[in-house]
Amino acid sequence: VMIMQYGACFGTELTMNNQLATHFRTYFQMKAGDAAALASAFGLMNLFARSLGGIVSDQLFRRVGFRGRIWAQFLALFFEAVFL
């Protein structure tokens, strides 16, 4: 299950990194440099979010055990779905 979740997550990330600058240029009439800079913020956000997710998962594992990691994964996926 986790391999499928990671594959879907990474596939979405690659697609977003590939198409986001074009989307900004097409729909918001941005200059190419500005669109690329804004699109790169998505990749940087992923670095921060992955680190934060690992930290939260580790903290919950220390407090609750493996069930804490499952809750961390569930909450991350749930709020990702809500905000998408």
Side-chain angles (χ1 to χ4, degrees):
V1 172
M2 291 179 71
I3 291 172
M4 291 172 39
Q5 289 174 347
Y6 183 77
C9 176
F10 191 64
T12 302
E13 181 179 340
L14 288 177
T15 302
M16 290 297 291
N17 289 338
N18 188 30
Q19 294 296 321
L20 202 53
T22 304
H23 175 77
F24 289 146
R25 288 192 69 203
T26 303
Y27 291 99
F28 298 106
Q29 289 78 36
M30 297 178 75
K31 295 179 184 175
D34 294 339
L38 189 57
S40 70
F42 183 78
L44 295 173
M45 181 229 16
N46 285 328
L47 291 174
F48 170 75
R50 285 176 190 251
S51 301
L52 185 61
I55 291 168
V56 169
S57 177
D58 289 345
Q59 292 294 328
L60 285 173
F61 181 74
R62 277 193 206 108
R63 291 184 184 177
V64 186
F66 191 70
R67 183 169 285 211
R69 287 200 173 187
I70 299 298
W71 271 106
Q73 183 179 18
F74 170 76
L75 290 174
L77 290 172
F78 176 78
F79 284 111
E80 181 180 355
V82 166
F83 289 117
L84 282 178

